[in-house]
């Protein structure tokens, strides 16, 4: 049987989740409150696309090291 993760690992995971949520929020706020909207929309779309490709495509490829935490 596998042991449950320790307190430090659980705290580190929660901090990483908070960092990702904060990044998404800041990206949305930057898109909303800047003057040059088309340029910011393109930048936000590129940022979200890079994030999505990393977590939905790259980690599933055979030569990828796998998602964080599976090592």
């Amino acid at each position: 049987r596998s042991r449950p993760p320790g307190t430090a690992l659980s705290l580190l995971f929660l901090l990483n989740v908070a960092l990702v949520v904060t990044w998404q929020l800041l990206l949305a706020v930057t898109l909303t409150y800047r003057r040059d909207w088309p340029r910011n929309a393109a930048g936000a779309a590129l940022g979200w696309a890079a994030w999505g490709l990393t977590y939905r495509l790259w980690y599933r490829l055979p030569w990828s090291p796998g998602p964080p935490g599976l090592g």
Side-chain angles (χ1 to χ4, degrees):
R1 286 169 92 51
S2 64
R3 298 180 317 167
T7 304
L9 188 59
S10 296
L11 182 61
L12 184 63
F13 176 76
L14 289 176
L15 289 174
N16 284 328
V17 169
L19 184 64
V20 168
V21 169
T22 302
W23 180 78
Q24 295 281 340
L25 178 67
L26 289 175
L27 194 59
V29 168
T30 299
L31 172 63
T32 306
Y33 290 106
R34 300 287 301 262
R35 288 186 214 182
D36 191 14
W37 198 85
R39 185 174 167 191
N40 289 333
L46 187 64
W48 269 310
W51 179 78
L53 284 173
T54 298
Y55 284 95
R56 294 183 188 255
L57 180 69
W58 167 250
Y59 286 141
R60 294 183 181 177
L61 296 174
W63 59 82
S64 171
L70 283 181

